[in-house]
Amino acid sequence: MEITMIQNLHRPVEKPDKPVERTDTPVEETGGTNLAFFAGTPCAEREGRPVELLDTSLSEEQNREDMNIKKEAQEIYESGQALTYIVNTLQRYHVDDTDLLTALTLSHAATNVMNNEIALNIRVSGAAGTGKSHAMMTAAEIIPSDRILTGRFSDKALLYKSAEIKPGTTFLFDDQSLSEVAAEIMKAQTSDVNKPFHYTTVQNGQTLTLTCPERCVRWNALCDSTGDEQTADRELSFFADDSEEHHRKVAALKAKMDMDPAFRLDKRPLKVCKEILNLLPTEKDKRTIVQIPFADKIRFDGTETLRTMSHLSTMIRAAALLAAPKRNVTSAGFLIAETDDFKVAAGIMNRIINGIGGSQK
């Protein structure tokens, strides 16, 4: 058998008699960035043009700051003081309305609790200029960006864009009355919070079933408290503070912002709050189950509805979740609520039931 040897696979490249003609195309002709190199030297440098190096110092600094924010959020969450920190931070930008800001925070946290049977929908009503919309918009800044829907949107957006809406999303309605269809969607979601809402219609002569995801909540800011009684029964209703003392505090904050614009422009505390909420489990198989061992000892004075009792339980579970690192866990993995969580929820509910800052008729 004849064997042919192949040799000189790495023969030296013969140098051309004359310089090789450049084939790179100018940037102006390609519309792109000219990254071609010639003889190991950037084209711009060979042509005498300055070579601008990418300044990575700013991006590195931003990355360090992002890591610091996440670290601070983790430390606050581990301390069990997440709810206190969040409400105090929100009041840096919005005066008072402690119950409302606490309820808004609990409303979002509750979407991450597996065994809640009701959505914690929030309504705030009051005259124009009393800050009801500002309170909700301030709270909206700390909700993870992929789980908040603000601005004006139609009924169709709630259904036809459902693929873009994640479970546990907050819908913020600012001076926007619910249409009949939207109200039906919200009622259904509230009544059975763990199941998506299915809506069947006809399109081009074909039956079409649309779905709005489960565990969504709504925040409603209205100039009056009018509306469907069944819808109102599914909400925690707050009144905007229109007192003279409140107006003085708002004026003082405005003066402080006018004298020191950086105070209001500093969004870092809000970013820390958002990172805290990002620590809560959102995946279906990781959401927390909260046990209330003292549930049989809770009593209401008067004839409160079962839904009001469910609102209270939902707030207790949400408060426990925000303090999870400092709560005990059962052998089955259930988080155990403590009386401190009850005090947070009962304080809000008591004032609403008694017409102080809200109403739960």
Side-chain angles (χ1 to χ4, degrees):
M1 180 173 62
E2 183 180 358
I3 300 177
T4 301
M5 300 297 292
I6 301 176
Q7 299 178 345
N8 297 327
L9 294 178
H10 301 285
R11 291 177 297 173
V13 178
E14 296 180 2
K15 295 183 179 180
D17 297 331
K18 59 180 180 178
V20 178
E21 294 292 333
R22 286 183 53 180
T23 59
D24 55 293
T25 306
V27 177
E28 292 77 8
E29 295 181 16
T30 63
T33 302
N34 193 340
L35 298 180
F37 278 74
F38 180 68
T41 307
C43 297
E45 185 176 332
R46 287 179 57 84
E47 295 172 1
R49 291 183 282 120
V51 179
E52 296 183 5
L53 298 178
L54 178 64
D55 184 5
T56 60
S57 59
L58 292 178
S59 59
E60 290 176 356
E61 182 179 347
Q62 184 60 53
N63 288 336
R64 284 195 297 270
E65 175 63 3
D66 290 343
M67 293 300 296
N68 289 336
I69 288 174
K70 290 181 179 180
K71 181 181 178 182
E72 185 176 343
Q74 185 72 47
E75 291 174 351
I76 294 169
Y77 181 58
E78 294 292 337
S79 73
Q81 297 299 311
L83 182 58
T84 299
Y85 177 87
I86 288 173
V87 174
N88 288 342
T89 297
L90 292 176
Q91 289 183 321
R92 169 189 172 102
Y93 306 89
H94 179 86
V95 174
D96 290 342
D97 289 327
T98 305
D99 282 350
L100 173 59
L101 295 176
T102 303
L104 291 170
T105 305
L106 295 177
S107 171
H108 170 75
T111 64
N112 300 293
V113 177
M114 179 67 76
N115 59 319
N116 280 336
E117 69 274 11
I118 193 170
L120 201 59
N121 299 319
I122 308 295
R123 171 188 294 221
V124 56
S125 56
T130 52
K132 57 188 183 299
S133 298
H134 186 266
M136 287 192 167
M137 292 304 296
T138 301
E141 290 195 55
I142 69 169
I143 305 300
S145 304
D146 60 345
R147 295 182 63 194
I148 183 76
L149 184 62
T150 63
R152 297 274 173 170
F153 39 88
S154 67
D155 304 337
K156 290 183 178 181
L158 299 176
L159 296 170
Y160 286 88
K161 292 293 185 181
S162 60
E164 302 172 17
I165 300 175
K166 290 189 175 183
T169 293
T170 296
F171 302 106
L172 197 163
F173 295 89
D174 186 9
D175 278 333
Q176 181 179 354
S177 298
L178 294 179
S179 68
E180 185 176 343
V181 173
E184 289 302 320
I185 293 173
M186 295 303 178
K187 288 177 191 176
Q189 286 182 322
T190 304
S191 299
D192 201 346
V193 71
N194 293 303
K195 292 183 179 180
F197 173 76
H198 300 292
Y199 182 84
T200 302
T201 185
V202 176
Q203 188 178 72
N204 299 326
Q206 300 293 323
T207 300
L208 179 66
T209 299
L210 304 168
T211 302
C212 196
E214 70 275 14
R215 315 190 69 78
C216 293
V217 295
R218 70 177 180 273
W219 296 353
N220 222 355
L222 296 169
C223 284
D224 55 53
S225 58
T226 60
D228 187 308
E229 184 176 334
Q230 291 185 355
T231 301
D233 187 41
R234 291 167 167 80
E235 298 173 319
L236 285 183
S237 182
F238 294 85
F239 302 145
D241 192 344
D242 198 22
S243 65
E244 185 177 339
E245 179 183 1
H246 180 72
H247 283 288
R248 283 199 298 267
K249 290 182 179 179
V250 172
L253 177 61
K254 186 179 183 308
K256 183 174 184 178
M257 292 187 296
D258 289 342
M259 292 185 293
D260 182 13
F263 176 82
R264 184 67 176 88
L265 295 174
D266 179 15
K267 300 291 185 177
R268 190 181 188 282
L270 294 174
K271 292 178 181 178
V272 173
C273 292
K274 181 177 286 191
E275 286 300 327
I276 292 173
L277 296 182
N278 267 325
L279 294 172
L280 303 181
T282 58
E283 295 83 359
K284 187 174 183 178
D285 59 340
K286 294 182 180 179
R287 294 185 191 126
T288 306
I289 295 177
V290 181
Q291 177 180 325
I292 306 177
F294 47 82
D296 61 340
K297 296 180 176 61
I298 299 175
R299 296 288 184 271
F300 280 85
D301 292 334
T303 55
E304 306 307 327
T305 66
L306 291 176
R307 195 167 280 124
T308 300
M309 297 177 185
S310 294
H311 278 138
L312 179 69
S313 299
T314 299
M315 285 194 287
I316 293 172
R317 295 188 190 100
L321 178 60
L322 286 167
K326 294 297 182 180
R327 298 292 179 262
N328 293 321
V329 179
T330 69
S331 58
F334 301 162
L335 192 69
I336 303 176
E338 295 185 358
T339 53
D340 284 346
D341 307 316
F342 167 77
K343 291 175 183 177
V344 170
I348 295 173
M349 189 60 75
N350 273 327
R351 286 186 285 274
I352 290 179
I353 289 175
N354 290 287
I356 304 172
S359 176
Q360 199 66 14
K361 297 294 185 182

